[in-house]
């Protein structure tokens, strides 16, 4: 599926949430509502390839800049605040039980939203992970402690070098989120899409890369166990890098359309 040109009906506006202006891009459309949530450090522009595919298929599509990102105002991250931001967008744009599709941080937010909204027809998490400090697989007890220490040290050093309080707050919130508990508590259909086509370990120092590999194995194990115990949770692997909405926009659109309109999934 190739991305068509951007629809002429696209419009931008601001939504007010707890004193913060949230920038919203409305791509138009007349069908079921879909709200797109970008990843950390990104913006709603990330959806420029996926959104036209969804509107062309008859959906009404809206993308938002999350608090502190893109054209939205600054605001420290917390899951309750972010959920309230989504609710403000839904209310002020009069979206009717929208599906939520998020990448990375936005995917985690979609999963958290799914724990509270049984009326939501679909939530999609595109390769969203919490802090890589566990679970680990294939390690004995001592090796697991060492891996956790290595990954935590890597995070702490990276945060110290960045010197960004907002980023430190976000990482703390990621560490506090029990993602697998959220998956098991979903109240609506939830799809977790994992990327399997890129090896980030090649970019890491050797000791960190080994610990990260054990984390990926442990995460996959826990994810499979959560899906086996949760009828509303389904899993998909895509041979793509982390930015699968940019690298495989047609496949991402197909995943959404197959579940909302009965279309064919690749």
């Amino acid at each position: 599926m190739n991305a068509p040109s951007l629809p002429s009906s696209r419009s931008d506006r601001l939504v007010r949430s707890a004193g913060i202006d949230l920038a919203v891009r409305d791509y138009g459309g007349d069908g079921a509502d879909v709200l797109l949530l970008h990843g950390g450090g990104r913006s709603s522009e990330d959806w420029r390839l996926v959104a036209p595919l969804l509107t062309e298929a008859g959906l009404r599509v809206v993308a938002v800049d999350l608090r502190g990102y893109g054209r939205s105002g600054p605001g420290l991250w917390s899951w309750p605040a972010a959920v309230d931001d989504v609710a403000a967008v839904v209310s002020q744009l009069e979206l009717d039980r929208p599906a939520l599709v998020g990448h990375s941080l936005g995917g985690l937010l979609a999963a958290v939203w799914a724990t509270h909204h049984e009326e939501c027809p679909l939530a999609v998490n595109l390769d969203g992970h919490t802090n890589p400090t566990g679970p680990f697989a294939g390690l004995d007890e001592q090796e697991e402690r060492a891996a956790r220490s290595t990954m935590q040290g890597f995070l702490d050093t990276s945060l110290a070098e960045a010197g960004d309080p907002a980023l430190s707050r976000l990482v703390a919130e990621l560490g506090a989120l029990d993602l697998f508990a959220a998956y098991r508590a979903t109240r609506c259909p939830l799809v977790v899409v994992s990327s399997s086509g890129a090896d980030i370990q090649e970019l890491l120092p050797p000791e960190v890369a080994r610990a990260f590999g054990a984390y990926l194995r442990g995460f996959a194990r826990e994810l499979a166990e959560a899906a086996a115990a949760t009828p509303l949770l389904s899993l998909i692997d895509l041979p793509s890098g982390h930015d699968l909405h940019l690298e495989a926009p047609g496949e991402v659109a197909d995943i959404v359309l197959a579940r909302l309109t009965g279309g064919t999934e690749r």
Side-chain angles (χ1 to χ4, degrees):
M1 184 185 291
N2 295 319
S5 59
L6 294 177
S8 59
S9 60
R10 187 184 72 180
S11 62
D12 295 329
R13 60 173 291 183
L14 294 177
V15 165
R16 194 75 170 168
S17 175
I20 296 174
D21 285 328
L22 301 174
V24 175
R25 175 154 292 172
D26 189 340
Y27 286 88
D30 299 322
D33 293 331
V34 179
L35 181 58
L36 304 176
L37 310 172
H38 63 80
R42 313 294 279 267
S43 75
S44 58
E45 181 65 16
D46 263 16
W47 297 106
R48 62 189 180 275
L49 302 180
V50 173
L53 298 176
L54 299 179
T55 57
E56 186 183 57
L59 301 180
R60 193 280 180 88
V61 180
V62 172
V64 59
D65 286 342
L66 300 175
R67 56 171 51 213
Y69 296 108
R71 296 170 294 116
S72 290
L76 291 177
W77 187 270
S78 76
W79 299 111
V83 167
D84 287 346
D85 290 347
V86 171
V89 173
V90 171
S91 174
Q92 294 179 44
L93 268 69
E94 299 182 338
L95 302 181
D96 181 21
R97 295 170 295 174
L100 264 64
V101 181
H103 169 246
S104 198
L105 177 63
L108 299 178
L109 178 54
V112 173
W113 177 268
T115 66
H116 301 287
H117 293 272
E118 62 184 9
E119 80 285 356
C120 180
L122 176 68
V124 180
N125 175 6
L126 300 173
D127 214 37
H129 294 244
T130 51
N131 295 341
T133 53
F136 299 98
L139 305 178
D140 61 29
E141 185 175 342
Q142 183 175 354
E143 291 171 332
E144 185 168 334
R145 285 197 300 270
R148 182 170 289 106
S149 177
T150 294
M151 294 310 303
Q152 188 62 57
F154 183 72
L155 278 177
D156 292 344
T157 299
S158 300
L159 289 174
E161 292 175 349
D164 183 351
L167 179 59
S168 296
R169 170 66 177 268
L170 173 60
V171 171
E173 288 290 313
L174 289 172
L177 176 63
D178 189 338
L179 181 57
F180 298 109
Y183 285 161
R184 288 182 167 89
T186 186
R187 301 177 66 186
C188 74
L190 171 62
V191 180
V192 176
V193 185
S194 300
S195 64
S196 58
D199 192 356
I200 194 173
Q201 292 167 255
E202 297 177 358
L203 306 176
L204 300 172
E207 184 180 7
V208 177
R210 287 192 293 273
F212 188 71
Y215 161 74
L216 290 178
R217 294 191 297 273
F219 187 90
R221 178 196 65 204
E222 294 290 328
L223 183 57
E225 291 177 358
T230 311
L232 287 171
L233 175 61
S234 57
L235 310 179
I236 296 176
D237 286 329
L238 280 185
S240 169
H242 178 59
D243 295 334
L244 23 69
H245 59 320
L246 296 172
E247 298 176 31
E251 286 81 352
V252 169
D254 286 346
I255 289 169
V256 177
L257 293 171
R259 287 157 178 80
L260 291 183
T261 69
T264 301
E265 186 177 322
R266 296 172 192 237

